[in-house]
Amino acid sequence: MNLTNIKRPSTSTLFAAAPALFLGGWLLMRPIDGRSEPGGWWTAAHAVWLAGFVLFAVMAPRFREITGVRTTGQRIALTASLWTVLLSALANIVQLSIDLVGGFTSADSAELKDAFAGVKEIPGAEAVVYGIGAQVIFVGLVVCAVLAAIVRRGTPVPAALVTTGTVVMAVGMGFGRNHWSVPAGMICLLAGLALLGRELDAHRGPRVSPIAGRAAFAVRSGD
């Protein structure tokens, strides 16, 4: 099989799939009301979340398609937000991998909580893997969406949706993970990123191979 012929997923597909899986994991947790306990629903939810954050990590380099940044501040913001999304996605991947291993090796909720407590005792683990390190991904997504609008590689609509979704999720979590505003924020995030992906694809346009490009230039030159 020729690996060079494998087509990468479009930016629009990737930007829609990652937040869709994020929302899907939340929905799968509803039968157990979001409690931390091993079991079929719990395992399925965490597996879906793991897949979603893998896609967020894959998605991060695509923000380089936000071309047109001109100022030093814009370049720094784009690079910083790209790495924020990537590293925070990796922190979530580590967290969810730990959760799945804990779920498979624990007989009940008490054992699972003990397993998590052991991990959180590792210096820095709680802040990086379970705290701010796992949460700043949404800040990176907001900055990228806003930058896309500023340099006109996207419209203000996805930037507004991603920002609104992030704020609504953050506020909703203050009322508890089961609050109706949490999935509402996730839906806004999904809509904003899906639209942003479509806009980036539209600005990127079809790719032309170097050979085809030279041939087209030769034809034009002969006119």
Side-chain angles (χ1 to χ4, degrees):
M1 182 177 65
N2 188 354
L3 295 179
T4 60
N5 292 331
I6 298 177
K7 186 178 180 180
R8 74 172 192 169
S10 67
T11 299
S12 57
T13 299
L14 194 55
F15 277 39
L21 290 171
F22 183 51
L23 173 61
W26 185 90
L27 293 173
L28 286 169
M29 285 291 283
R30 292 319 95 207
I32 58 173
D33 296 327
R35 294 192 302 273
S36 295
E37 59 177 310
W41 288 108
W42 191 92
T43 301
H46 284 72
V48 168
W49 273 328
L50 177 59
F53 280 102
V54 168
L55 292 186
F56 275 120
V58 175
M59 189 177 88
R62 298 290 181 94
F63 286 118
R64 293 192 183 278
E65 294 174 8
I66 302 175
T67 56
V69 290
R70 294 178 178 83
T71 68
T72 300
Q74 288 175 349
R75 287 192 290 271
I76 291 174
L78 180 60
T79 301
S81 58
L82 184 158
W83 280 103
T84 297
V85 172
L86 177 60
L87 295 176
S88 187
L90 292 176
N92 279 281
I93 290 169
V94 171
Q95 177 190 145
L96 291 162
S97 299
I98 293 170
D99 289 354
L100 285 169
V101 171
F104 283 124
T105 57
S106 301
D108 53 33
S109 181
E111 286 189 13
L112 185 60
K113 289 179 180 179
D114 288 340
F116 291 161
V119 173
K120 291 179 179 180
E121 287 176 358
I122 300 172
E126 184 163 10
V128 174
V129 178
Y130 288 93
I132 189 67
Q135 297 163 4
V136 292
I137 184 172
F138 303 107
V139 176
L141 293 172
V142 168
V143 173
C144 286
V146 170
L147 271 174
I150 291 173
V151 300
R152 298 187 178 181
R153 287 301 178 271
T155 62
V157 176
L161 286 170
V162 172
T163 303
T164 300
T166 298
V167 172
V168 171
M169 279 194 299
V171 173
M173 291 294 285
F175 294 101
R177 299 189 181 203
N178 298 329
H179 195 265
W180 63 267
S181 58
V182 175
M186 291 178 176
I187 292 170
C188 282
L189 181 70
L190 168 57
L193 289 176
L195 181 56
L196 177 61
R198 290 181 61 184
E199 292 177 347
L200 292 179
D201 271 341
H203 279 285
R204 182 163 56 92
R207 290 189 170 188
V208 179
S209 69
I211 294 175
R214 286 194 294 271
F217 177 76
V219 170
R220 291 194 300 270
S221 299
D223 290 343

